[in-house]
Amino acid sequence: MSLSIKAQDGLNAIIGESAISLNHNASKEYSMNFAFRSRYFLYDNERFQYQQQQVDIYHFSTFKLNFNHKLSFGIYYRNRDWFDTGSDELRFTEQFNYTKQKLGVRYGHRFRTEQRILKNKTIFRQRYRFAVDFPLNGEKLDIGEAYLVSATEGLLSLSKPDKPETDLRISTQIGWQITESLKLQTGLEHRLEAFNLVAKNNLFVLTSAIFKI
């Protein structure tokens, strides 16, 4: 008896992504987020291995326009030079969020545009994400209870030296409200990358700790 990951419909890699996020409400209208994220290969080149790929540090400032609408601006730094895995990256992000809640279920639409500045090129990426989250017990999330988050996102990347690239991401995560100020989340995300060119199927294993300070 043998097990072959390659047989799983062209899976290219399994990638781990762990993050720590700090959220702070400075006022009723303004909030800020700081995060540190680590990405590493768990399966690549047809074998299981651990290989660090990059570390990311980013900040978002969010302005609440009204109960359902938010506008955010972000700056993002990705370091790959430490691990000899590619170009470092500086990224600027503009984002608009619309959310609506009904019977304990929250629906979210996120429109995001990004300017990704790499060593040899700049990529202009447009993104749209639809997400649903809800508590698994009743209509209100209480301390000690679990919740589910599912999302699908489409991405379009444009840069002068390359052809346009389209990606699709689908994710499902389960989270726990540990305390009033701490949430833990884990789940999976499937990324179908560059499916209009040469498609790659990557599976991400996501873990995160979200602090409210």
Side-chain angles (χ1 to χ4, degrees), residues 5 7 10 16 19 32-33 38 44 50 56-57 72 80 104 115 141 154 184 203 210:
I5 296 293
M32 62 185 74
N33 166 263
S38 172
D44 192 28
Y50 174 86
D56 306 327
I57 300 173
S72 301
R80 285 179 169 169
Q115 302 82 51
L141 182 64
L184 299 179
L203 182 66
I210 304 166

Side-chain angles (χ1 to χ4, degrees), residues 13 26 42 46 53 63 66 73 80 87 100 109 117 134 141 161 180 182 203 205:
L42 298 173
E46 301 185 15
Q53 184 186 22
F63 301 88
N66 54 40
F73 300 94
R80 285 179 169 169
S87 170
K100 187 174 182 180
H109 302 270
I117 303 171
F134 53 88
L141 182 64
E180 185 69 27
L182 172 62
L203 182 66
V205 181

